[in-house]
Amino acid sequence: MRSFVLFLFFTTALWAQQPYPQNYFRSPMDIPIHPSGTFGELRTNHFHAGLDFRTQQREGLPVYAAADGYVSRIRVSAYGYGTALYIDHPNGYTTLYGHLQAYSEKIDAYVRAKQYEKKSFDIEIFPAKDEIKITKGELIGLSGNTGGSGGPHLHFEFRDTKTEWVINPLLFGLDKIMEDKKAPSVYGLMVYPLSDDAVANESAKPMPVHIRLQKDGTYLADKILARGKVGLGINAADKSTGSLGNNGVYNVETFENGNPYFHYTFSTFAFSESRYINNFIDYSRFYHTGQRFQKLFIKTPYPFSVIKNNITNGQFEAVEGEVKNYRIEISDFHGNKTIINGSIEYSYKPAKVTEPKHVTPYFVQAENDHNYTKNGVSVFIPANSFYEDFYMDFDVEDSILHLHNPTVPVHTPLTVSFDVKGLSNEVLQKTFIATFTDKRVSYNSSYMEGGKLTAKVKTLGDFKLMQDNNPPKIYSPSFAEGKWLTKSKQFSMKISDDRSGIATIDAWLNGKWILMHYDYKTRIIFHNFSDGIVDEGRNDLKVTVTDNVGNSATFETHFFRTQNTTSVENDK
């Protein structure tokens, strides 16, 4: 593992030195860059893979191709990047444009035809190289808020076309049109006892370290009195000119007695590495408080290519008679820097704050596979599902699987299986494995395997079999039955499901399948009359929504529409 990590670090360092083209690509929007999200920013279960353009809290702003190329991939989904477009460029890079409100006319016609052909809103297409050619500066769509977007913006990415590694967009010259004179902000410093004998500031548990702003703009941290091996962690963020929100920091480097010690820079990484964020941060603290402390150390080595200059895994060893002076430099892409200075001095004082060692019969060694079974429930843990070894809670009581707790992050999915021999086929069809708390039930995609109902799960916690016998709901149509809709551009309604979640949406107008767009955030589905399916006069509409265990609901109504816009019956 160690040789692989060193090789990965070495090859990535070489790659990071390559000169990225500075004048080849243009900005995808003709507005100032005030990012609402930066490359490598810490997100839930992933590092942010692009640059988010604020769009003045509006949708519908023009989005342009960054350079010549061709559309290589089109993805339309209610989730993720929503309405997204990928363009391959002849110089070996791919640009991605996410959360679009709509495609340009020629792309939209191509996509709409494919959606009707497949009878699906969710669609993924890989056009041939010569199908949809694009020129630099060509209008390719309008900015929006589709998919998992938390507000109107454009998500913009660069990828290496061959490897699909994501690359910081600012490396391609966009930094020149983004103003940033603000240094990163630091909201907290933590010290972590790491070795079994470690104590820091009379605590065997992680402790906050007070920092004070100095006249020269640096921070001075209170002295850390410690023994054994300890690590540091920071809660930091960056703001750019014209952007009030907290963004991710670009570069962090630590020094011990003036020598480089631990370093990471968010220039590029692989998608397969993105879930390592849950080891990169203090996950337990994040789960309890929502604060993302970035660990400036590695407790157990893992292959994350962003980390470099990794001397002794970033751990400081407090030795009697020695003082370790450390410096933490936190920088944004434009070179604005915040510095924390501090020291670690040996202390023999015992821990006043301790945490009893949690010991159970189930010791999970992260590098090995593990199988556990009890009372008809089994759990398979593949090797490297966890980042560190730990004692796990495991029990099955009253048909509920207690699998530790969600404060320990899962990297590779675990397999959970329940014996369902006592369930009839009718009941089994409506049954799924649920993750649940006192406040929430979450559906896990469940399937039969080896006579057991099985699901892949990516969190620890409590699990049980649940049934969903209730169909989805279809409600709040945008028109009353029998209404004239001649002046309307679309019609809509809302849908919801209270347990297993929405699986499919189908609609027919006068017996012909029609495309219904879906925004899960607002629960709205809608159809655009521009699709040209509507008939003159009366139109009969049927909408069917099915959940993940097969329950379905159907809504039927009718409306009138005419192409004669002077009709006195219009929209009354």
Side-chain angles (χ1 to χ4, degrees), residues 197 199 202 225-228 318-321 345-351:
D197 63 335
V199 177
E202 300 183 45
L225 300 176
R227 71 167 182 268
V319 179
E320 189 170 3
E345 185 175 317
Y346 179 84
S347 172
Y348 64 88
K349 292 183 179 180

Side-chain angles (χ1 to χ4, degrees), residues 264-560:
Y264 60 81
T265 303
F266 280 105
S267 297
T268 180
F269 60 85
F271 273 106
S272 59
E273 299 179 298
S274 198
R275 197 170 174 87
Y276 281 131
I277 186 174
N278 293 332
N279 197 29
F280 184 78
I281 65 171
D282 180 348
Y283 187 85
S284 178
R285 189 173 185 87
F286 168 65
Y287 181 84
H288 287 298
T289 69
Q291 298 173 333
R292 290 187 173 98
F293 272 81
Q294 305 165 50
K295 296 188 292 188
L296 306 182
F297 63 90
I298 296 175
K299 189 171 183 180
T300 302
Y302 66 108
F304 184 32
S305 63
V306 167
I307 297 172
K308 302 165 186 148
N309 291 348
N310 183 17
I311 309 300
T312 66
N313 289 329
Q315 299 181 21
F316 296 89
E317 185 164 11
V319 179
E320 189 170 3
E322 294 184 9
V323 175
K324 304 287 177 77
N325 294 307
Y326 65 85
R327 184 170 81 253
I328 305 171
E329 297 186 355
I330 307 155
S331 309
D332 61 27
F333 192 92
H334 290 76
N336 303 301
K337 184 182 297 183
T338 299
I339 295 174
I340 304 171
N341 291 301
S343 62
I344 301 170
E345 185 175 317
Y346 179 84
S347 172
Y348 64 88
K349 292 183 179 180
K352 293 181 179 178
V353 180
T354 60
E355 187 171 24
K357 190 171 184 179
H358 185 74
V359 178
T360 75
Y362 308 99
F363 182 65
V364 177
Q365 293 177 301
E367 64 181 1
N368 297 331
D369 292 344
H370 296 273
N371 279 288
Y372 302 104
T373 301
K374 185 176 181 180
N375 297 339
V377 180
S378 61
V379 177
F380 171 63
I381 301 174
N384 300 313
S385 290
F386 299 105
Y387 303 114
E388 298 175 6
D389 301 344
F390 72 107
Y391 285 97
M392 184 178 72
D393 290 318
F394 169 77
D395 198 7
V396 178
E397 187 177 11
D398 296 329
S399 300
I400 297 175
L401 167 62
H402 301 283
L403 193 58
H404 208 69
N405 63 71
T407 62
V408 176
V410 177
H411 188 77
T412 303
L414 318 179
T415 303
V416 174
S417 300
F418 282 73
D419 189 338
V420 290
K421 286 184 291 189
L423 300 181
S424 67
N425 288 334
E426 183 180 2
V427 172
L428 186 57
Q429 288 178 356
K430 307 297 182 184
T431 302
F432 63 95
I433 297 173
T435 307
F436 72 99
T437 64
D438 292 338
K439 298 180 180 180
R440 183 180 178 186
V441 173
S442 300
Y443 169 82
N444 294 300
S445 180
S446 308
Y447 56 94
M448 289 297 297
E449 183 175 81
K452 292 187 174 183
L453 193 64
T454 299
K456 304 285 188 182
V457 300
K458 280 194 171 184
T459 59
L460 298 179
D462 292 341
F463 303 86
K464 67 179 178 180
L465 296 178
M466 295 192 74
Q467 283 81 40
D468 181 0
N469 295 301
N470 299 321
K473 296 177 181 178
I474 306 172
Y475 58 101
S476 298
S478 60
F479 62 92
E481 187 169 52
K483 182 178 176 64
W484 283 85
L485 301 182
T486 302
K487 295 181 180 178
S488 301
K489 293 182 179 180
Q490 61 180 218
F491 65 80
S492 66
M493 58 198 65
K494 289 192 172 186
I495 62 174
S496 65
D497 188 78
D498 62 0
R499 185 149 290 187
S500 64
I502 303 296
T504 61
I505 303 165
D506 287 290
W508 297 265
L509 202 55
N510 306 316
K512 297 178 182 178
W513 187 89
I514 60 171
L515 178 63
M516 298 294 291
H517 300 256
Y518 177 37
D519 182 355
Y520 80 93
K521 301 186 295 293
T522 61
R523 300 181 177 181
I524 290 175
I525 58 175
F526 63 92
H527 172 74
N528 292 320
F529 284 125
S530 59
D531 287 4
I533 310 298
V534 67
D535 285 347
E536 185 77 14
R538 179 181 171 122
N539 285 266
D540 293 305
L541 174 65
K542 178 180 178 180
V543 179
T544 298
V545 179
T546 306
D547 66 22
N548 280 301
V549 296
N551 301 305
S552 65
T554 298
F555 175 81
E556 295 185 75
T557 188
H558 73 275
F559 60 85
F560 294 90

